């Protein structure tokens, strides 16, 4: 709790609280009804972007628009290709540029710094706690829409350069399987424990696969 209050651990804000009623049988054989609330947690995307910018800005080339205008197209393309950020057909001013490992080492003297790993380290954005029905999961649409609308707000670097972030969605169920503890609705990885592909469901040797425990899932989240 001290680390949460100090800000070392961020637990986000309560979202989509839903009240449920459970019935249990008491020691006297009576049915007892108890209400409880299940909710999710979210760190708003704007705060997530601010944290990521704070962590990554030192790895970015802080050039002004005037400096970029003086750079020849061939030179700019070469620099973008070097850091694997060149996308054919995309406008150059939309591509974020980071130092290479060698450039950063020459500037700071720091050894063994993997720039790509640093800038691709994720932040926990939203933790969903809901049933598997479409109705329960669609309850999170409004709060995610709010974050999507906030993407229009541009952050500024310390050099006063505007930063435009883009939200990209991954259409796959395997990453979700690693972090959830429950049964999915179909997909190619519908086993919440062993991680087997749907095509392997009838193979007997699949039972010897490594089981992903709740502790394992927790470590994945804490590791980012």
């Amino acid at each position: 709790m001290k680390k949460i209050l100090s800000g070392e651990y961020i637990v986000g804000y309560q979202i989509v609280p839903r009240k449920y009623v459970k019935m249990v049988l008491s020691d006297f054989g009576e049915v007892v009804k108890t209400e409880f609330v299940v909710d999710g947690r979210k760190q708003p995307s704007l705060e997530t972007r601010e944290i990521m910018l704070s962590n990554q800005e030192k790895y970015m080339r802080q050039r002004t628009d005037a400096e970029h205008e003086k750079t020849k197209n061939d030179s700019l393309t070469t620099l973008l290709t070097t850091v694997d950020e060149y996308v054919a057909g995309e406008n150059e001013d939309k591509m974020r540029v980071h130092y290479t490992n060698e450039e950063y080492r020459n500037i700071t003297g720091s050894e063994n710094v993997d720039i790509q790993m640093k800038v691709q380290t994720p932040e926990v954005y939203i933790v969903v706690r809901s049933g598997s029905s479409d109705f329960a999961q669609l309850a999170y649409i409004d709060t995610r829409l709010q974050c999507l609308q906030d993407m229009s707000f541009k952050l500024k670097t310390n050099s006063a350069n505007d930063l435009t972030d883009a939200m990209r969605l991954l259409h796959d169920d395997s990453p979700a399987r690693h972090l959830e503890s429950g049964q999915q609705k179909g997909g190619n990885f519908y086993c919440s424990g062993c991680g087997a592909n749907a095509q392997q469901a009838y193979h007997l040797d699949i039972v010897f696969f490594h089981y992903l425990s709740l502790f394992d899932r927790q470590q994945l989240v804490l590791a980012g």
Side-chain angles (χ1 to χ4, degrees):
M1 180 61 70
K2 291 182 179 179
K3 291 186 177 182
I4 294 177
L5 295 176
S6 67
E8 182 177 350
Y9 292 160
I10 300 175
V11 297
Y13 304 94
Q14 181 191 54
I15 54 172
V16 195
R18 300 183 69 85
K19 184 181 294 185
Y20 295 89
V21 177
K22 67 177 180 180
M23 294 183 292
V24 297
L25 194 63
S26 69
D27 296 337
F28 303 100
E30 299 176 344
V31 176
V32 180
K33 293 184 178 181
T34 305
E35 292 186 348
F36 65 98
V37 175
V38 175
D39 56 27
R41 309 293 296 187
K42 184 185 77 169
Q43 180 175 265
S45 62
L46 181 57
E47 294 184 14
T48 303
R49 291 164 55 202
E50 290 173 342
I51 292 173
M52 297 186 74
L53 175 59
S54 175
N55 293 335
Q56 298 178 10
E57 187 169 7
K58 60 184 177 183
Y59 306 119
M60 299 170 61
R61 296 188 180 92
Q62 294 297 312
R63 293 178 175 173
T64 64
D65 291 340
E67 290 175 321
H68 279 296
E69 289 175 358
K70 294 179 182 179
T71 305
K72 296 181 179 180
N73 289 339
D74 292 343
S75 300
L76 183 57
T77 300
T78 301
L79 290 171
L80 291 169
T81 304
T82 302
V83 293
D84 197 24
E85 292 184 349
Y86 176 73
V87 181
E90 186 172 304
N91 195 332
E92 283 79 2
D93 61 8
K94 294 183 179 180
M95 304 183 195
R96 292 174 57 185
V97 181
H98 299 90
Y99 292 118
T100 63
N101 294 346
E102 182 179 358
E103 287 174 332
Y104 188 75
R105 183 168 57 249
N106 293 335
I107 294 172
T108 64
S110 301
E111 297 289 340
N112 301 323
V113 177
D114 188 333
I115 301 298
Q116 184 174 5
M117 183 190 72
K118 294 292 186 182
V119 301
Q120 292 185 349
T121 299
E123 291 283 334
V124 176
Y125 158 57
I126 188 170
V127 177
V128 175
R129 298 175 64 201
S130 72
S132 60
S133 68
D134 290 335
F135 176 78
Q137 295 187 2
L138 289 175
Y140 285 81
I141 283 183
D142 289 340
T143 187
R144 295 196 65 187
L145 177 61
Q146 180 182 0
C147 287
L148 180 60
Q149 293 170 338
D150 289 342
M151 295 296 291
S152 61
F153 180 81
K154 294 186 177 182
L155 302 180
K156 281 188 177 294
T157 66
N158 291 330
S159 300
N161 292 325
D162 289 332
L163 187 65
T164 302
D165 290 315
M167 180 179 289
R168 293 184 172 89
L169 303 179
L170 177 64
H171 298 283
D172 193 4
D173 56 3
S174 188
R177 174 186 61 79
H178 286 304
L179 302 180
E180 72 175 12
S181 183
Q183 187 72 357
Q184 295 193 79
K185 304 188 301 296
N188 294 319
F189 296 88
Y190 50 69
C191 177
S192 63
C194 69
N197 187 281
Q199 301 299 322
Q200 300 172 299
Y202 297 100
H203 295 180
L204 183 59
D205 58 347
I206 206 67
V207 299
F208 296 105
F209 270 48
H210 171 66
Y211 177 77
L212 196 64
S213 68
L214 186 59
F215 176 78
D216 295 331
R217 303 172 200 277
Q218 181 188 42
Q219 295 309 304
L220 284 170
V221 174
L222 294 178

